[in-house]
Amino acid sequence: MRRVTRDSLRRMVEELPSVAWPEAELDGLIAPQFGVITGFPEFLTEVEAVCRLDLGATGLPGRLPDKPKRGL
């Protein structure tokens, strides 16, 4: 997959005009300014990594025990 660019996001916004995206928000997806927000390219990299996981081999826990009921 190619990295997301400002131009590719701009073309997507033009194709899907139902929501207006200010330029600053598009810039924030490419190069976040707030430090705690993951950039869109990094997010896609993380999603690709999760997609490669074999979830059947992760050893997911079984059913959680029921919480005890409070006395009535």
Side-chain angles (χ1 to χ4, degrees), residues 6-56:
R6 191 171 195 280
D7 290 334
S8 61
L9 286 176
R10 172 58 43 214
R11 286 193 304 271
M12 183 180 74
V13 168
E14 290 171 0
E15 290 294 320
L16 305 167
S18 61
V19 177
W21 282 75
E23 295 297 317
E25 289 184 15
L26 293 178
D27 291 340
L29 290 172
I30 300 300
Q33 303 295 316
F34 299 107
V36 296
I37 299 172
T38 301
F40 196 63
E42 290 81 9
F43 172 73
L44 289 179
T45 300
E46 292 174 8
V47 168
E48 288 174 343
V50 169
C51 289
R52 287 191 296 269
L53 291 176
D54 178 4
L55 296 179

